[in-house]
Amino acid sequence: MNRYLLAILLLLPQFAFSVGEIKNNKLSGIISDQKDNSPIPGVSIFIPEIQKGTVSDENGAYQLEHLPSGKMTLQFSFIGFESVIKTIVINKENLKLDVKMPFTTVTTQEVVVSGGFPSAQHENSIKISVLKEKELQQLSTPSLGEKLASIPGVDVISRSPGVSTPVIRGLSLNNIIFLNNGVRMENFQFSTDHPFLTNEQGADHIEVIKGPASLLYGSDAMGGVINVLKEKPAPANSFKADINSEYHSVTKGYSNSIGVKSSGKDWFWMIRANQQSHKDYKDASGDYVPNTRFNTEGLQLGLGLIKEYGSFKIYYDYLQPKLGMTNDESLEVVSEGKRKNHYWYQDLEQHLLSLKNRIFLGRYKLEFNAAYQFNNRRLNGNPNSSIFRLVDMDLKTFTYDSKLYFPGSEGSEFLVGIQGMHQSNENKGAPNRIIPNAKIDDFSVFSLLKKEIGDASLQFGVRYDHRSIYVPEQEAGGHSHGEAEEHEEEEHEEGEHDEHDEHEKELVHINRNFDHLNASIGATYHVSESLLLRTNFATAYRVPNLAELSQHGLHGNRFEEGNTNLNPQKSLESDLGVHYHTQNHNIDLSLFYNKVYDYIYLAPTDEPAPEGEGNVYSYSQQDAKLYGGEVAINVVPLSFLKFHTDYAMVIAKQDDGGRLPFIPQHKLNMNVKIFGKGNRTFKDPFFSVNWKYAFEQDNPAQFETSTSSYDLLGLQAGSDFKMGKYKMNLLLSASNLLNKKYIDHLSSLKPLGFYNPGRNLSIKLGFNL
């Protein structure tokens, strides 16, 4: 009850402020080239806070109407020019803002929203990497995890292109948080077989926080945060539609996406439908890797109202993937190279309804967001068995967060906020229960202060979190991905129980509360216009998940035993970053050291397993450390030539000398890109060569083996072009061009002896109205 009273007290101040007289605030101006003052048509002007934007006309002029009063951040962006980011205070009906855009040949910064305050990347004390819309479109892979892995410091644990989970600086699963447009995703992410159910089709961009983010997002954000931001509404008073299709030879797979959206002066709507289907992929020998097929359908809807006193948006996301599972049992029954899921697959369903609101109350701003997500996870086995549906669970999650932004003086911002979650898991009629019926409640309160002092920007925050986990008394269990459940069920039906069976049953009951206080302090110092330094010190924590606390049974081929007495993981990380840029090149260097206390890991014991083979595997804890860094260099020596190089490494050790699992190989990427002149028909044509080298991983964890080095070559060519009055784009790609046989260290098919995908030739075609 106290937490709800606190929530009311925090929200009450909003009603004390008068909205005042509603005005039709307008913002207008001229956008021109900094070099010769010539107007620039087609510049995108966008206000992320209210999701409203427009495009400059042929004279470089723009106008936005019905804007709220108050402080807001604007981004002006156009290909070939450095993005201009302005923070303005709208306090009169007709505000003029002319912008001169400087020419640049390298990647420019973006406005990011995952760091607490909407701001330019260079103003954040925590490193936020951005994968832009154009970059997403040019990543030719059906796997969202592989797209994320193009960011230095991010990798992917993969069973197939459809089943993958990201790794940030060596931490994964419940150690990172995945957001869908700011909404925390809950998809049974305690296992590498359970990917985050988020659809990136049509996304505007993806933001990745590399490092602790518990200050902003609570438990599980020890390793970082991935936020997939929805596509922007159509510019004011316009209608847009697009159709995008792609084909991949390695899976004989295709993907289609259709989007339609429209905006008026103060409203917008959007709808997008997508579907993809992939057969079992082939390795470099031309052999099928059985049951790596997957099929997905999705739908995204959005509706928004933007008035002088605020913005109000509602979104609905639906995703239904069917993901093949490659395991010992499926190898015996699955026909290779097929498309339809029939044996041994996850049949998943995800519904997400979210509300995002921002109210402007004089000099105050109130943000209130709420979301409900329903996730049904079914694991289907052999349809010829008497038990086909092995797992059937419903996960229901309600989340909310509210932030009150206080009036700030010039160069300062301050907010207080609350966040909460109520979650319930319910097992249905299927015999296997990898996690029990349970209820989880979260509540947190936090504050964040940002202050500019001279050439430095300081950021400080504190946060208190409370989590309660309640598991009513029930039989503990797991599942084997095999047929043992069928035999057990038959015995129960016949009443053939013996004393040994009764003795093996174990009950689980959990009623625990966890409290934690986190803090973060960081600074960004602009040594000059070209050079900035960034440092941050932050604490983070993670509450043990339900599987770690309660499991008792076979999971795969191991008998795993949970530990109801596990402590939360805690960490302290320090980061140091250097960024240098000129018109023709930029350099990013990031170093980190992360000390993790009570790291949770699985290890064998001396106790013989009551089922399966070998001994019982039990969850234990020990202190650990992770350290390393990333460097990325972009150089454009000529207007038509660009070189890119990045290198990422992470070393992870337990204090007893053991190694942590799922630590990626050190990786070096190089890219050479050549730009064409183009003409009236073809615009921005390019050709690129990519080379990746993964170093040998000779420090495996206890259950892993060493992995040899490998290198991959890729080619890409593409262009935008016009067909009549329509805009189109074409992309041709070849990955693993030399068709090399290799296994990545984070492939979860490695224990089964299967190689990663062989050569993949792909084609993407987009049509824009």
Side-chain angles (χ1 to χ4, degrees), residues 584-638:
N584 296 316
H585 71 276
N586 62 36
I587 301 173
D588 262 304
L589 172 66
S590 299
L591 303 173
F592 71 94
Y593 182 89
N594 191 3
K595 179 67 176 181
V596 181
Y597 301 92
D598 289 325
Y599 180 85
I600 301 172
Y601 65 98
L602 193 64
T605 67
D606 296 331
E607 180 185 353
E611 300 177 55
E613 301 178 355
N615 294 340
V616 171
Y617 284 70
S618 178
Y619 287 98
S620 301
Q621 295 187 278
Q622 186 177 139
D623 295 350
K625 55 181 175 289
L626 301 95
Y627 55 92
E630 308 91 36
V631 60
I633 303 172
N634 291 290
V635 179
V636 183
L638 302 169

Side-chain angles (χ1 to χ4, degrees), residues 190 390-391 393 427 431-437 471 474-480 485 488 504-509 546-556 558-562 611 619:
F190 58 86
L390 302 175
V391 174
M393 297 188 293
N427 287 277
N432 296 324
R433 301 186 172 197
I434 188 63
I435 59 175
N437 296 338
V471 177
Q474 59 198 277
E475 184 178 350
H479 69 89
S480 65
E485 297 83 2
E488 182 180 347
E504 287 181 356
K505 286 185 178 180
E506 180 165 319
L507 298 179
V508 61
H509 172 63
L546 287 173
E548 294 165 340
L549 290 169
S550 67
Q551 193 165 3
H552 176 78
L554 286 173
H555 190 199
R558 292 196 301 251
F559 190 94
E560 298 180 0
E561 187 76 54
E611 300 177 55
Y619 287 98

Side-chain angles (χ1 to χ4, degrees), residues 225 367 394 411:
V225 172
E367 180 181 339
D394 286 345

